[in-house]
Amino acid sequence: MAVYLVFVLGIGVALKRYMRTSNDFFLAGRSIPAWVCGLAFLSANLGAQEVIGMGASGAKYGLATSHFYWIGAVPAMVFVGIFMMPFYYGSKARSVPEYLRMRFDEKTRALNAVSFGIMTLFSSGISMYAMALLIQALGIFHGIVPDQYVFHVSVLISAVIVLAYIFLGGLTSAIYNEVLQFFLIVAGFLPLVYLGLRNIGGWHGLQTRLPETYMHSWRGMSHANTNPLGVEWFGLTMGLGFVLSFGYWCTDFLVVQRAMAADSEESARKVPLIAAIPKMVFPFLVILPGLIAVATPTVISHVNGASVTSSQGMIPVKMDPRTGAMQTDSKGQPVYNYDLAIPTLLLHYYPTGILGLGLTALLASFMSGMAGNVTAFNAVWTYDIYQSYLNKNATDAHYLKMGRWATVGGVILSVGAAYLVTGFNNIMDTLQLVFSLVNAPLFATFLLGMFWKRTTGHAAFAGLISGTTAALLHHGMTLPVGDAPGIHGAWLAHLHSYPGDMAQNFWTAIFAFSVNLIVTIVVSLLAKARPEEELVGLVYSLTPKPVEHHLPWYSRPMTLGIGVLAILLVLNLAFA
């Protein structure tokens, strides 16, 4: 772990002298090769929410969690590579909000910049929270720091490390660190999957120890009450497979920023397609450990000489990090801490030595997620808020300095966000809630803006406001079964119950997207459209199509995209 931290900080120090302009700091000078950007594109999404969150969701929901990859990521990654990157890269927009200004108007850009900034801070805070939770669970500071302060000290340490290398090397430092983190995560978790499966009797042993619904991705999706996710096929495909998936991968500047750093438009289009290939197999790396943790019998007490086995295998009961008290749900039942599925499994199976590698892989995932969000935040703050509304005529050197200070501010605000997510027992639930409030309505705006030239700026703004409001109202009037009103919902009234948090998130996204879509279409039809000559390069029908004839057929983005989707279909059928 110490060697890893030296490398991380060393990359930042080595790249500091190349950060001469704001373009170098925020967009890596648009000079990074496609394969490097592709791994960074994937790794930026491999934060705590991916590694810890997907392991937690695997333990909580079973193999149905693979939907977050096989319908909730890869199709959207193919779409953004083939159709959307020409808009982002070709328009020379420095951020997603800046593209919205070019396509619509300033108020739409401002609204998106503010909402995106808040979302990135929450996402970064989730990674901080997960890292502090891990350090607390491992007892690394036991005897050095009083137990009641371990969580707080851990949050601060993770914040300082990420702040250091982003402050020095900007996006370039983040990208090369993300490539390093990608290989560390693979090396750290592959042995865990092998050891876990071997010790419970392989795939057959896993099947015999878990409920049948846990071992299939599509079976039971005809009704919300017949599968662990608690959502029927329509809510899954529409909420996750379309709205949340496309809303995240197509509009979230965190990942788009990595593709925009590529050295050409051709490379930028290939970046999401390159990332989609390892993304398809990641369920076997991060979801399987969650299933193995639940399937591994664990003795929790002895009663009259008899062993009592936990109903959730190795998943520990959730403790309040601030008070140390056991948490219970509204029925008084213990709340299991699914976020600790992978850390508990690491401690159980890994001997000294390889345990260090596994823990370093976890540390790498946290760093990756935090750094990705912080680099996206400092670019949006500097370009889309500070330069646009607070100081329009400063020098480039001034904006470079502001970017560094925005990094400091972003990290400090992320620390605050880390404490707000302690009320959830699965950080993936938290993250999907944030996405349903921000990305879901935004995707409707992008979809109409890019493919319907009639869409106007006033309509886009009204749609975003309406969609976000609809999402908040839906969350405020619904509640997952077993949860108390508050951060989980029903903070306005309790009008409807969902089987679980994830089902509530999917339907919140559907409401947000649908309301935005309808309002934007209606307002656009009532207003005057922009002249077509102003929309060249911003709308699909008015944008010259990328030339691919000079490329061999097997390296064309369209060919790569079709190949990825074919493999994806096979995976869905094999584990249905």
Side-chain angles (χ1 to χ4, degrees), residues 494-555:
H494 188 181
L495 302 183
H496 181 72
S497 295
Y498 285 102
D501 290 272
M502 205 61 77
Q504 182 195 39
N505 293 336
F506 292 167
W507 279 101
T508 298
I510 292 172
F511 272 88
F513 174 84
S514 302
V515 170
N516 188 345
L517 192 76
I518 294 169
V519 170
T520 304
I521 290 174
V522 171
V523 177
S524 292
L525 293 174
L526 297 176
K528 182 181 178 181
R530 286 177 63 183
E532 289 190 1
E533 58 269 18
E534 296 180 8
L535 299 176
V536 175
L538 301 173
V539 177
Y540 186 77
S541 61
L542 301 175
T543 301
K545 304 304 178 284
V547 177
E548 299 181 354
H549 302 303
H550 63 289
L551 297 173
W553 68 269
Y554 53 82
S555 67

Side-chain angles (χ1 to χ4, degrees), residues 1 48 52 124-142 145-159 161 318-322 337 339-340 343 359 362-363 365-367 370 414-415 417-419 421-422 427:
M1 291 175 75
I52 295 295
S124 181
I126 287 172
S127 290
M128 283 187 183
Y129 162 70
M131 181 174 178
L133 201 69
L134 173 69
I135 292 174
Q136 186 181 43
L138 296 178
I140 292 176
F141 293 142
H142 184 68
V145 176
D147 290 346
Q148 64 268 32
Y149 297 119
V150 170
F151 183 83
H152 313 295
V153 171
S154 302
V155 166
L156 292 177
I157 289 176
S158 62
I161 294 171
K318 185 175 178 64
M319 312 297 289
D320 189 320
R322 293 161 294 190
N337 197 345
D339 289 335
L340 289 179
L359 297 180
L362 279 179
L363 181 64
S365 76
F366 304 143
M367 296 296 180
M370 291 165 60
S414 297
V415 171
Y419 287 91
V421 301
T422 57
I427 59 176

